[in-house]
Amino acid sequence: MLEKLGRNLPCWCGSGRKYKVCHMEFDERIAEHKRMGDVVPTHKMIKNPAQIAKIKESAKVNVAVLDAVAAAICEDMPTSEIDRIVSETTKAYGAVPAPLHYQGYPYSVCTSVNSQVCHGFPSDKVILKSGDIVNVDCSTILDGYYSDSSRMFMIGDVSDAARKLVEVTKECMELGLEQVKPWGYLGDMGQAVNDHAKENGFSVVRDIGGHGVGIEFHEDPFVSYVTKRGTDMLLVPGMMFTIEPMVNMGSALYDVDPHNGWEISTRDGKLSAQWEIQVLVTEDGHEVISW
Ligand code: MF3
Ligand code: CO
């Protein structure tokens, strides 16, 4: 990853400062980790302050859209209504819903109900009823910059078991977040998520995970929750990614809907929950960008 940059040339980060007074020491520290055998980030994964400011503007819309969903979601509502709220609220802020037409995805939001793991299609035939748990996953483009987060909603009277799954999944995300710090490892986060799910008798979906985000919808690195402490990618200031574990009540196995190629459900038909936040690695820890 280290381009051999002249010490007096402008830094690769776009600051306009000379490399030697900007990111040279930073690059040397990363190179040392690489020599020790660590997986290290590329410059492309590191956002500069101007980019971070733009992504935060996008995230303000993302959070406002989820807040609008939270205020309206209720029993007897078809999930197509959530799609309408997301589409209209996003547009009202001058933004664009990122899912719409993304790799052919046909809606503005994902609404994954009960045994659906992710990528659930909003539908006028899916009517929320008391006892349902539903993930609403919103992704936003503002002025070309991306934000992405999701929340769970519990409709009416939810069983104790379903409530526990929703709460533990949120705790998994929060415990993972606590581990995010510069010069730590993505695996510190992954193990914290996985340990907490397992301790509660749940399983974590393996091949679907989080991702870098901001300049594009889905960037490197892939963010797994089955990694071990001290392994996986080195974290450095300026990296931005999502923490979005999918936690299942039963087995971690899932199937993709053979008809539409998108909707993903647990193989055993048991419940699945997911929370997603977007996080920035800072000089002294982390900052939540979208939630
Ligand atoms: N919002 C999802 C994520 O958290 C991605 C969904 S892809 C889509 O990464 F096309 F379904 F929107
Ligand atoms: Co995401």
Side-chain angles (χ1 to χ4, degrees), residues 58-133:
S58 174
K60 276 187 202 162
V61 179
N62 188 254
V63 173
V65 170
L66 271 171
D67 285 346
V69 171
I73 196 167
C74 61
E75 205 174 325
D76 295 330
M77 180 185 273
T79 53
S80 52
E81 176 66 7
I82 299 172
D83 193 60
R84 191 191 61 75
I85 293 168
V86 169
S87 173
E88 288 184 3
T89 311
T90 306
K91 285 179 197 154
Y93 283 99
V96 176
L100 191 61
H101 309 312
Y102 173 76
Q103 296 185 357
Y105 186 81
Y107 300 97
S108 296
V109 64
C110 302
T111 52
S112 305
V113 182
N114 294 333
S115 62
Q116 285 185 318
V117 173
C118 63
H119 304 165
F121 282 5
S123 166
D124 53 13
K125 293 184 185 62
V126 178
I127 317 272
L128 296 175
K129 57 185 193 307
S130 182
D132 283 348
I133 60 169

Side-chain angles (χ1 to χ4, degrees), residues 123-145:
S123 166
D124 53 13
K125 293 184 185 62
V126 178
I127 317 272
L128 296 175
K129 57 185 193 307
S130 182
D132 283 348
I133 60 169
V134 54
N135 172 275
V136 178
D137 190 338
C138 278
S139 316
T140 307
I141 316 172
L142 182 70
D143 203 12
Y145 292 85

Side-chain angles (χ1 to χ4, degrees), residues 73 79 82 110-118 120 126-136 151-169 202 247-249 266 269-275:
I73 196 167
T79 53
I82 299 172
C110 302
T111 52
S112 305
V113 182
N114 294 333
S115 62
Q116 285 185 318
V117 173
C118 63
V126 178
I127 317 272
L128 296 175
K129 57 185 193 307
S130 182
D132 283 348
I133 60 169
V134 54
N135 172 275
V136 178
R151 301 180 198 167
M152 290 300 294
F153 297 98
M154 294 183 269
I155 308 299
D157 294 321
V158 166
S159 71
D160 289 346
R163 180 176 300 274
K164 182 183 170 194
L165 178 71
V166 169
E167 287 172 356
V168 166
T169 305
F202 301 140
V247 178
N248 293 355
M249 198 169 261
T266 57
K270 293 187 179 172
L271 296 178
S272 183
Q274 178 182 30
W275 290 82

